[in-house]
Amino acid sequence: MKVSIIGATGYAGAELMRLLLNHPDAEVVHVTSESHTNVPVSDVYPHLKGIYDQKLESLSDIKRIGADSDFIFIGLPAGHAMEIGRTLADMPTRIIDLGADYRFHDTAVYEEWYKVPHTHKDAERVYGLAELNRSKIKNAKIIGNAGCYTTASILALAPLVKEHLVDVHTIVIDAKSGVSGAGRSAKLPNHFPELYDNFKAYGVATHRHTPEIEQALTDIGGEKVLLNFTPHLVPMSRGILSTCYAQLREGVDEAAVTKAYHTMYDDEYFIRLRGLGAYPETKYVRGSNFCDIGWHIDNRTRRVIVLSAIDNLVKGAAGQAVQNFNIACGLDEKTGLALAPVYP
Amino acid sequence: MKVSIIGATGYAGAELMRLLLNHPDAEVVHVTSESHTNVPVSDVYPHLKGIYDQKLESLSDIKRIGADSDFIFIGLPAGHAMEIGRTLADMPTRIIDLGADYRFHDTAVYEEWYKVPHTHKDAERVYGLAELNRSKIKNAKIIGNAGCYTTASILALAPLVKEHLVDVHTIVIDAKSGVSGAGRSAKLPNHFPELYDNFKAYGVATHRHTPEIEQALTDIGGEKVLLNFTPHLVPMSRGILSTCYAQLREGVDEAAVTKAYHTMYDDEYFIRLRGLGAYPETKYVRGSNFCDIGWHIDNRTRRVIVLSAIDNLVKGAAGQAVQNFNIACGLDEKTGLALAPVYP
Amino acid sequence: MKVSIIGATGYAGAELMRLLLNHPDAEVVHVTSESHTNVPVSDVYPHLKGIYDQKLESLSDIKRIGADSDFIFIGLPAGHAMEIGRTLADMPTRIIDLGADYRFHDTAVYEEWYKVPHTHKDAERVYGLAELNRSKIKNAKIIGNAGCYTTASILALAPLVKEHLVDVHTIVIDAKSGVSGAGRSAKLPNHFPELYDNFKAYGVATHRHTPEIEQALTDIGGEKVLLNFTPHLVPMSRGILSTCYAQLREGVDEAAVTKAYHTMYDDEYFIRLRGLGAYPETKYVRGSNFCDIGWHIDNRTRRVIVLSAIDNLVKGAAGQAVQNFNIACGLDEKTGLALAPVYP
Amino acid sequence: MKVSIIGATGYAGAELMRLLLNHPDAEVVHVTSESHTNVPVSDVYPHLKGIYDQKLESLSDIKRIGADSDFIFIGLPAGHAMEIGRTLADMPTRIIDLGADYRFHDTAVYEEWYKVPHTHKDAERVYGLAELNRSKIKNAKIIGNAGCYTTASILALAPLVKEHLVDVHTIVIDAKSGVSGAGRSAKLPNHFPELYDNFKAYGVATHRHTPEIEQALTDIGGEKVLLNFTPHLVPMSRGILSTCYAQLREGVDEAAVTKAYHTMYDDEYFIRLRGLGAYPETKYVRGSNFCDIGWHIDNRTRRVIVLSAIDNLVKGAAGQAVQNFNIACGLDEKTGLALAPVYP
């Protein structure tokens, strides 16, 4: 399959190139960047020297790029992917958008949280979280790849919500991410001396991943979910740990909780159940497409606490995109993704 | 005043030495260590060379040390301070214990969580969190210095609980600490390559600071509090950020929440109210005795989210001990503690 | 080919498992550990869960392990590999030792620096640095895989020494390594809070990689080399940067230096010449088998300064071992090693 | 004494504020910033909230600021301090410039390396490195505070050069600094994810601190010194380690080297001689004005290797400025600087 990467100079774009290098069935035909047009990729990302030395193109001629590609991966700020989606609507090219433009059923929710008018409301689109939506992804024209925090959070809570084991009005998600999640543009808050040996929260009650998590959990449980999601910045490059809290319904015990996880995930290669009482660590998944999950029950407060860890650039972005690509192509889902985590 | 430090080679002991160097009214007369007896402090902590070159002694002769000292600071594992407290019970020496032995009203709670029998149950003791307990600290024989996570968490929630603005059954505290909180003994989980570029939780539903926070909040609000407290390890040396969640009572609005913080803390030098919508960062308080607090209200879920930051070795240990010492001596509370944070 | 890993629970052993997972022609049949016998690998290294869950064995039955294996990789402290080498001397099993036992022509040098008597002095052995020794590696029974600092340093200086462009008596190598190079055993100096936000040198004039570098450069240039090698510890997990200084011989200019690098390395896939005036960074090679090299000439002092970067666990250990394995098997040298660096 | 800080929003300016807070004889009367005029300092540096809330002014009215101040500290990019120096030439205000404008005897050297025309060539100025120049600093009108790398490097080598123990043509300085040395402006190379878990050199053979070190060593030894100086960026906030190499003159032994250090530095409070075979660490001096020095002799190569550690923002900038200020005021040199390092 011929694939192109639109917005290749963001961290997710670079990670896509890393992963696709080892994919036997994908050939990268175009890579684009508006800020570095005509420059070899390896000038912008010197770690790719000798591997990707091809020149970055502009997306101005997106129709030609689309015509050359079976799939395009898009890694652009909110509002841009939908323009491309509309432009390529009548072409056979399929789209995997790593941004948020195609993640919402209800584009009004998107517009409210992203402050951008949606211009492709009638797009046939599928929410790209393989473990929940595999069958729909198979034939989708447009896949709205799930976000990083959302992937970790939804996968952590899905079994509990699906089996109605928790009161969905009591969900609190306290999530922590490495700084690569903030992108590659240099700004004072992400200047090395400011963040190093430092820890902080941001986006309390306002982060855009909130409605995405709520949408997925509402879908799964059939009950409208509103929750608190609080992101934090960890002084490290990669990795997300999501700590999720919810009140157990009456009568729910450890066995029921544990069973829900096994029922839902035992056949999922990329989900590693660490079990009751376990502590996933972000380094255990670094560089890989795994999502590790452990759960705890506090009998004093009757709360369940779920911990999930992913690499935000892999299972939270580029790896998930390749997983969706594999499903959409009818390939083994692990193709190009059977990588061991990089430790230590 | 003559002071001695028992267990001087832990990180809190070293930090006490740093702070007391600049204290005009304290002279360090004895420093002890069982593992490094007869060795100069500056061999164990080379950063103190030229500053503290005196030899570490054994605490075997604690009576003599006590006789030489107006105050002793104790930084020992659970179970040891109470032995010293008993031994010095009839001497005028006053004690500030940086451990947990003297923190609990009900020693049964201590025994349950610390798995150590309490041998000094009738000790006259005061919980050493200055902002809550100033008047009792003044004349206390034994001060049970508040813990690190607990200081950050209690100070964050106290105004809300005091003014009955939140449902105390809904409190969740998600806290994150630098690794110095785990002490100085070398173990695989704290080996540099294991923790670096890594993030994880630990002690879910079992961490010993849980009952200490519950005790303080129960005292403040007059209603029995049970809550969830989850500690995490941040790949950095110092600093705690505590993210606290609670459901607002009906009718409580932003103004009421903000007022509660100002009413309780406007006269507190070491508490810096960052305000509604603010984000404290651990680096803003590094090396200082400040506790910075910001609060957020989510009208969608009717939750308040409070963020507090301290340096775990200062306001969470040695600085708090010096603050308590100042109060107990009738000195200005800021003596020796008017240090600007070390940034960046 | 069937391969076994002796001493699989060190960091180099874990990295070998990561790399061999993607090797189409190698099957890992035994993994050993004396400290964790009978425990699944993934209990010792949770990041390998679902990938390597086989049990660790003791090496006490090394003959059986040898009989089962075409190749064994050894990652043990100095003095142990030579025992295995002797035991398997008459079996067809081939050995790649990641330690130092088989690196020296003159075992007296080994004994002087490693303080261990050499018990396998007559072993037919080859120094395992592919770019220098490819043809001999092909048929070797025992390959003494080059060390981490040494690989970075030798590759940086080899072209200059080979073409006699520098005065070999003036060589100074100032090298910096991530902490994984110090191994996995927990000791105070490598305790997280001690090293974090800290930088230091160690082993000045005494580090064991010194004679290994001297041996290789002496071989290359035909002139006895004595040099200074100073290692430093960088507060990061992986990566080595080697900064090498030497006085240029009279008449040597930039063009001659640049030509020497291209002549020697233009056909080497794993060596990426960054060129004159370039700055390799350790992150550009992280997780990969590349060695990046840049060089600078100071006309004021007539010195050449060469910078080289490798991942100490890949090109400095496990990756190099796989590269040697590929050569020894007659496979394409890149097999299993065509991995893009993990960035950022 | 009334002091003002010109360019207060750089890291050195912030550090000056931290140190002056504890100085009993200095009152900060003006702080300036062209980019944040009229904004409270604590908005730009939230760690200073409650400590320095005064407003930043423009330096446009520098004459008035000068008239209000006994001393002004200047922390501005190259070329700006000399303008201020000229403007205040006839006023009694004394100047401590933390930049390079007043560091060079020969302004042609400044112009060559800094690419800025010098407009105050006849200024009476003194090189502000207290340990070398104390008597001249006492009455200086303008003090050109020594640079960060240079302070570490000169102090490390001065005794050897002074006593003619080394061949000055063989000096190589390999230095490593935390990222705060690069200043506070956000640029891609210093973006957190780019530098974290990464190590690199920069400015090989071209760094501006080279001629400053050469000037000082030439002064001390009376022999023209040309040397190599190579800076590196360590993924940490603060601290410099300088590793210095030189060939010993014939007949020079360990005793002579050790004696040179003691002769020169035994009475210096801020220099801590760690001794022969010792390893200074940057964390041992963090937050303090100390310079720690250790030295090693390699009898095989006849080289001496000297290691020195400072905090680049203290002894390398703001602390040195306060030390110079104390000397210039006739105060005890330690006033406001008797701070223990912040460890861990």
Side-chain angles (χ1 to χ4, degrees):
Chain A
M1 312 293 287
K2 289 175 195 282
V3 308
S4 293
I5 304 172
I6 309 304
T9 56
Y11 286 140
E15 190 69 356
L16 262 174
M17 288 186 267
R18 176 174 82 91
L19 297 173
L20 291 172
L21 175 69
N22 293 95
H23 198 294
D25 302 304
E27 180 197 353
V28 178
V29 291
H30 297 283
V31 287
T32 81
S33 163
E34 302 315 296
S35 46
H36 296 91
T37 309
N38 263 322
V39 169
V41 176
S42 53
D43 279 14
V44 181
Y45 279 115
H47 72 286
L48 295 176
K49 183 179 157 73
I51 304 174
Y52 287 95
D53 295 315
Q54 60 204 99
K55 285 199 177 159
L56 290 157
E57 303 169 50
S58 166
L59 62 73
S60 58
D61 198 4
I62 185 67
K63 284 220 163 194
R64 183 181 49 82
I65 293 172
D68 286 354
S69 314
D70 295 300
F71 275 84
I72 64 169
F73 295 95
I74 307 178
L76 294 176
H80 293 271
M82 57 176 107
E83 295 305 317
I84 296 172
R86 276 169 58 209
T87 307
L88 306 185
D90 299 327
M91 294 169 61
T93 324
R94 296 166 75 183
I95 293 173
I96 298 176
D97 177 24
L98 280 77
D101 288 9
Y102 293 110
R103 289 182 191 156
F104 291 89
H105 308 325
D106 181 353
T107 52
V109 173
Y110 172 89
E111 292 181 336
E112 184 191 336
W113 289 79
Y114 286 80
K115 318 289 181 204
V116 175
H118 206 291
T119 60
H120 197 194
K121 298 192 183 191
D122 61 342
E124 262 186 80
R125 59 193 180 265
V126 168
Y127 186 59
L129 186 43
E131 285 76 9
L132 299 183
N133 240 1
R134 191 170 279 122
S135 64
K136 288 186 190 158
I137 291 165
K138 218 168 199 125
N139 301 301
K141 160 77 179 175
I142 300 180
I143 298 166
N145 211 51
C148 55
Y149 282 123
T150 54
T151 295
S153 304
I154 294 167
L155 292 175
L157 289 164
L160 302 177
V161 170
K162 190 176 181 189
E163 303 293 339
H164 307 287
L165 304 182
V166 296
D167 176 350
V168 296
H169 306 298
T170 64
I171 296 173
V172 166
I173 302 170
D174 191 282
K176 299 88 178 173
S177 175
V179 186
S180 62
R184 208 188 189 200
S185 61
K187 290 170 195 156
L188 181 60
N190 299 339
H191 185 50
F192 187 92
E194 305 286 314
L195 276 186
Y196 185 76
D197 203 6
N198 195 3
F199 188 84
K200 63 175 170 185
Y202 66 102
V204 171
T206 60
H207 194 280
R208 294 160 166 192
H209 284 180
T210 311
E212 190 183 332
I213 302 169
E214 289 175 348
Q215 170 183 281
L217 296 181
T218 298
D219 283 359
I220 292 165
E223 233 184 319
K224 173 84 183 156
V225 176
L226 287 188
L227 51 75
N228 272 102
F229 167 74
T230 309
H232 299 74
L233 223 42
V234 185
M236 62 182 189
S237 284
R238 287 172 175 243
I240 284 177
L241 189 88
S242 197
T243 309
C244 309
Y245 301 85
Q247 207 71 34
L248 290 171
R249 296 215 168 163
E250 229 189 288
V252 174
D253 61 7
E254 281 182 7
V257 167
T258 294
K259 191 180 162 208
Y261 282 95
H262 286 287
T263 303
M264 186 156 180
Y265 293 139
D266 269 352
D267 293 339
E268 294 292 346
Y269 178 75
F270 290 119
I271 295 190
R272 299 194 294 192
L273 296 181
R274 296 284 175 176
L276 180 73
Y279 294 97
E281 307 189 8
T282 60
K283 211 171 202 174
Y284 291 164
V285 299
R286 190 173 57 174
S288 81
N289 201 48
F290 290 113
C291 175
D292 284 8
I293 301 177
W295 52 95
H296 299 253
I297 287 173
D298 187 344
N299 287 316
R300 297 166 68 251
T301 61
R302 291 288 298 151
R303 283 199 192 93
V304 57
I305 300 99
V306 190
L307 303 164
S308 64
I310 63 168
D311 182 321
N312 57 305
L313 293 179
V314 189
K315 184 59 178 165
Q320 181 126 274
V322 173
Q323 189 181 357
N324 286 330
F325 166 79
N326 287 338
I327 294 170
C329 295
L331 298 167
D332 180 336
E333 215 164 304
K334 298 192 294 295
T335 313
L337 292 175
L339 298 166
V342 178
Y343 190 93
Chain B
M1 312 292 289
K2 288 175 194 283
V3 307
S4 292
I5 304 173
I6 310 304
T9 55
Y11 287 139
E15 190 69 356
L16 263 174
M17 288 187 267
R18 177 173 82 88
L19 296 173
L20 291 172
L21 175 68
N22 293 96
H23 198 293
D25 303 303
E27 181 197 355
V28 178
V29 292
H30 297 284
V31 286
T32 82
S33 164
E34 301 316 296
S35 46
H36 296 91
T37 308
N38 263 322
V39 170
V41 178
S42 53
D43 279 14
V44 181
Y45 278 114
H47 71 286
L48 295 175
K49 183 179 158 73
I51 303 174
Y52 287 95
D53 296 315
Q54 61 203 97
K55 285 198 177 161
L56 290 156
E57 303 169 51
S58 166
L59 61 75
S60 58
D61 198 4
I62 185 68
K63 284 219 165 196
R64 183 181 50 79
I65 293 172
D68 287 353
S69 313
D70 297 299
F71 275 83
I72 63 169
F73 294 94
I74 308 177
L76 295 175
H80 294 271
M82 57 175 106
E83 295 304 318
I84 295 172
R86 277 171 55 210
T87 307
L88 304 185
D90 299 327
M91 292 170 61
T93 324
R94 298 166 75 183
I95 292 174
I96 298 176
D97 177 23
L98 280 77
D101 287 10
Y102 293 111
R103 289 183 192 156
F104 291 89
H105 309 324
D106 182 351
T107 53
V109 173
Y110 173 88
E111 292 181 336
E112 184 191 338
W113 289 79
Y114 285 82
K115 317 288 181 204
V116 175
H118 205 291
T119 61
H120 197 195
K121 298 192 184 192
D122 60 342
E124 261 185 80
R125 58 191 179 268
V126 168
Y127 186 59
L129 186 42
E131 285 76 9
L132 298 183
N133 240 359
R134 192 169 279 121
S135 63
K136 289 187 191 157
I137 292 166
K138 217 166 200 129
N139 300 302
K141 161 78 178 174
I142 299 180
I143 297 166
N145 210 50
C148 55
Y149 282 124
T150 55
T151 295
S153 303
I154 294 167
L155 291 176
L157 290 163
L160 302 176
V161 171
K162 189 175 183 191
E163 304 293 339
H164 306 287
L165 303 182
V166 297
D167 176 351
V168 297
H169 306 298
T170 63
I171 296 174
V172 167
I173 300 170
D174 191 282
K176 301 89 178 171
S177 176
V179 186
S180 62
R184 207 187 190 201
S185 61
K187 291 170 194 155
L188 180 59
N190 299 339
H191 185 50
F192 187 92
E194 304 286 315
L195 277 187
Y196 185 76
D197 202 6
N198 195 3
F199 188 85
K200 65 174 169 185
Y202 67 101
V204 172
T206 60
H207 194 279
R208 294 160 165 193
H209 284 181
T210 312
E212 190 184 333
I213 302 169
E214 289 174 347
Q215 169 183 280
L217 296 181
T218 299
D219 284 359
I220 292 165
E223 234 184 320
K224 174 85 181 155
V225 175
L226 287 188
L227 51 75
N228 272 101
F229 167 74
T230 309
H232 299 74
L233 224 40
V234 185
M236 62 182 188
S237 284
R238 289 173 174 240
I240 285 178
L241 189 89
S242 197
T243 310
C244 310
Y245 302 84
Q247 207 71 34
L248 291 171
R249 296 217 168 162
E250 229 190 288
V252 174
D253 62 5
E254 282 182 6
V257 168
T258 294
K259 191 180 161 208
Y261 282 96
H262 285 287
T263 302
M264 186 157 180
Y265 292 139
D266 269 352
D267 294 339
E268 294 292 346
Y269 177 76
F270 291 119
I271 297 191
R272 297 193 296 192
L273 296 182
R274 296 285 176 176
L276 179 74
Y279 294 97
E281 307 189 8
T282 61
K283 212 173 203 173
Y284 291 164
V285 299
R286 190 172 59 174
S288 80
N289 201 48
F290 291 112
C291 175
D292 284 7
I293 302 177
W295 52 95
H296 299 254
I297 287 173
D298 187 343
N299 286 315
R300 297 166 67 250
T301 61
R302 292 286 300 154
R303 282 197 194 95
V304 57
I305 301 101
V306 190
L307 303 165
S308 64
I310 62 168
D311 183 319
N312 57 305
L313 293 178
V314 190
K315 184 61 180 165
Q320 181 127 273
V322 173
Q323 189 181 357
N324 287 331
F325 167 78
N326 287 339
I327 294 170
C329 295
L331 297 168
D332 180 336
E333 216 165 304
K334 298 191 296 294
T335 313
L337 293 174
L339 298 166
V342 178
Y343 191 93
Chain C
M1 312 293 289
K2 288 176 195 283
V3 307
S4 292
I5 304 173
I6 309 304
T9 55
Y11 287 140
E15 190 69 355
L16 263 173
M17 288 185 267
R18 176 173 83 90
L19 296 174
L20 291 172
L21 175 69
N22 293 95
H23 198 294
D25 302 304
E27 180 197 352
V28 178
V29 291
H30 297 284
V31 286
T32 83
S33 163
E34 301 316 296
S35 46
H36 295 92
T37 309
N38 264 322
V39 170
V41 177
S42 52
D43 279 14
V44 180
Y45 278 114
H47 72 286
L48 295 176
K49 184 179 156 73
I51 304 174
Y52 287 94
D53 296 314
Q54 61 203 97
K55 285 197 176 161
L56 290 155
E57 303 169 50
S58 165
L59 61 75
S60 59
D61 198 5
I62 185 67
K63 284 220 164 195
R64 182 183 49 81
I65 293 172
D68 287 354
S69 313
D70 297 300
F71 275 84
I72 63 168
F73 295 94
I74 307 178
L76 294 176
H80 293 270
M82 57 176 105
E83 294 305 318
I84 295 172
R86 277 170 56 211
T87 308
L88 305 185
D90 299 327
M91 294 170 59
T93 324
R94 297 165 76 184
I95 292 174
I96 299 176
D97 177 24
L98 281 75
D101 287 10
Y102 293 111
R103 289 182 193 158
F104 291 89
H105 308 326
D106 180 352
T107 54
V109 174
Y110 173 89
E111 292 181 335
E112 184 192 336
W113 289 78
Y114 285 82
K115 320 287 181 204
V116 175
H118 205 291
T119 61
H120 197 193
K121 299 192 182 193
D122 62 341
E124 262 186 80
R125 58 192 179 268
V126 168
Y127 186 59
L129 185 43
E131 284 76 9
L132 299 184
N133 241 0
R134 191 169 279 121
S135 64
K136 289 186 189 157
I137 292 167
K138 218 168 198 122
N139 299 302
K141 161 78 178 173
I142 300 179
I143 298 166
N145 211 48
C148 55
Y149 282 124
T150 55
T151 296
S153 304
I154 295 166
L155 292 176
L157 289 163
L160 302 176
V161 171
K162 190 175 181 191
E163 304 294 339
H164 307 288
L165 304 181
V166 296
D167 175 351
V168 296
H169 306 298
T170 64
I171 296 174
V172 166
I173 301 170
D174 191 283
K176 301 88 179 174
S177 174
V179 186
S180 62
R184 207 189 190 200
S185 61
K187 291 170 194 158
L188 181 60
N190 299 339
H191 185 50
F192 187 92
E194 305 285 316
L195 276 187
Y196 185 76
D197 202 7
N198 195 2
F199 187 84
K200 64 175 170 185
Y202 68 101
V204 171
T206 60
H207 194 279
R208 294 160 165 193
H209 284 180
T210 311
E212 190 183 333
I213 303 169
E214 289 174 347
Q215 170 183 280
L217 296 181
T218 299
D219 284 359
I220 292 165
E223 233 184 320
K224 174 86 181 154
V225 175
L226 287 188
L227 52 74
N228 272 101
F229 167 72
T230 309
H232 299 73
L233 223 40
V234 185
M236 62 181 189
S237 285
R238 288 172 174 241
I240 285 178
L241 189 88
S242 196
T243 310
C244 309
Y245 301 85
Q247 207 72 34
L248 290 171
R249 296 215 168 163
E250 228 187 289
V252 174
D253 62 6
E254 283 183 6
V257 168
T258 293
K259 190 179 163 209
Y261 282 95
H262 285 288
T263 302
M264 186 157 180
Y265 292 140
D266 269 352
D267 292 340
E268 293 292 346
Y269 177 75
F270 290 120
I271 296 190
R272 299 193 294 192
L273 296 180
R274 295 286 176 175
L276 178 73
Y279 294 97
E281 307 190 8
T282 61
K283 211 172 204 174
Y284 292 164
V285 299
R286 190 172 59 174
S288 81
N289 200 48
F290 291 113
C291 174
D292 284 7
I293 301 177
W295 52 94
H296 299 253
I297 288 174
D298 187 344
N299 286 315
R300 297 166 67 250
T301 62
R302 292 286 299 152
R303 280 198 194 94
V304 58
I305 300 101
V306 190
L307 304 165
S308 65
I310 63 168
D311 183 320
N312 58 305
L313 293 178
V314 190
K315 183 61 178 163
Q320 181 126 274
V322 173
Q323 189 181 357
N324 286 331
F325 166 79
N326 287 339
I327 294 170
C329 294
L331 297 169
D332 180 336
E333 217 164 302
K334 298 191 297 292
T335 313
L337 292 174
L339 297 166
V342 178
Y343 190 92
Chain D
M1 311 295 287
K2 288 175 195 284
V3 308
S4 292
I5 304 172
I6 309 303
T9 54
Y11 286 141
E15 190 69 355
L16 263 174
M17 288 186 268
R18 177 173 83 89
L19 296 174
L20 291 173
L21 175 68
N22 293 94
H23 198 294
D25 302 304
E27 180 198 353
V28 179
V29 291
H30 297 283
V31 286
T32 81
S33 164
E34 301 316 296
S35 46
H36 295 92
T37 309
N38 264 321
V39 170
V41 177
S42 53
D43 279 15
V44 180
Y45 278 114
H47 71 286
L48 295 176
K49 184 181 157 72
I51 303 174
Y52 287 94
D53 295 315
Q54 60 203 100
K55 285 197 177 161
L56 291 157
E57 302 168 52
S58 167
L59 61 74
S60 58
D61 198 5
I62 186 67
K63 284 219 163 192
R64 182 181 51 80
I65 294 173
D68 288 354
S69 313
D70 296 302
F71 274 84
I72 64 170
F73 295 94
I74 307 178
L76 294 176
H80 294 270
M82 57 176 104
E83 296 303 318
I84 295 173
R86 275 170 57 210
T87 307
L88 304 186
D90 300 326
M91 294 170 61
T93 323
R94 297 165 75 183
I95 292 174
I96 299 176
D97 177 25
L98 281 76
D101 287 9
Y102 293 110
R103 289 182 192 156
F104 291 89
H105 308 326
D106 181 352
T107 52
V109 173
Y110 172 88
E111 291 181 336
E112 183 190 338
W113 289 79
Y114 285 81
K115 319 288 180 203
V116 174
H118 205 291
T119 60
H120 196 193
K121 299 191 184 192
D122 61 342
E124 261 184 81
R125 57 191 181 267
V126 167
Y127 186 58
L129 186 43
E131 285 75 10
L132 298 184
N133 241 359
R134 192 170 279 121
S135 64
K136 288 187 190 157
I137 291 167
K138 219 169 197 121
N139 300 302
K141 159 79 178 173
I142 300 180
I143 299 166
N145 210 50
C148 55
Y149 282 124
T150 56
T151 296
S153 303
I154 295 167
L155 292 175
L157 290 164
L160 302 176
V161 171
K162 190 174 180 191
E163 304 293 339
H164 306 288
L165 305 181
V166 296
D167 176 350
V168 297
H169 305 299
T170 64
I171 297 174
V172 166
I173 302 170
D174 191 283
K176 301 86 178 175
S177 174
V179 186
S180 61
R184 207 188 189 201
S185 62
K187 291 170 195 157
L188 181 60
N190 299 340
H191 185 50
F192 187 92
E194 304 287 315
L195 277 187
Y196 185 76
D197 203 6
N198 195 3
F199 188 84
K200 64 175 170 184
Y202 66 101
V204 171
T206 60
H207 194 279
R208 293 161 166 191
H209 284 181
T210 311
E212 190 184 332
I213 303 170
E214 290 173 347
Q215 170 183 282
L217 295 180
T218 298
D219 283 359
I220 292 166
E223 234 184 320
K224 173 86 183 154
V225 176
L226 286 189
L227 51 75
N228 271 102
F229 167 73
T230 310
H232 299 74
L233 224 41
V234 185
M236 62 183 190
S237 284
R238 286 172 175 243
I240 284 177
L241 188 88
S242 196
T243 309
C244 310
Y245 301 85
Q247 207 73 33
L248 290 171
R249 297 214 167 164
E250 230 188 288
V252 174
D253 61 6
E254 281 183 7
V257 167
T258 294
K259 190 180 163 208
Y261 282 96
H262 285 288
T263 303
M264 186 157 180
Y265 293 139
D266 269 353
D267 293 338
E268 294 291 346
Y269 177 75
F270 291 119
I271 296 190
R272 300 193 295 192
L273 296 181
R274 297 284 175 176
L276 180 74
Y279 294 97
E281 307 189 7
T282 61
K283 211 173 204 174
Y284 291 165
V285 298
R286 191 174 57 174
S288 80
N289 200 49
F290 291 113
C291 175
D292 284 8
I293 302 177
W295 53 95
H296 299 253
I297 288 172
D298 187 345
N299 287 314
R300 296 165 69 251
T301 61
R302 292 286 299 152
R303 280 198 194 95
V304 58
I305 300 100
V306 191
L307 304 165
S308 64
I310 62 167
D311 182 319
N312 57 305
L313 293 179
V314 190
K315 184 61 178 165
Q320 180 126 274
V322 173
Q323 189 180 356
N324 286 331
F325 167 79
N326 288 339
I327 294 170
C329 295
L331 297 168
D332 179 337
E333 216 164 305
K334 298 192 295 293
T335 313
L337 292 174
L339 298 166
V342 179
Y343 190 91

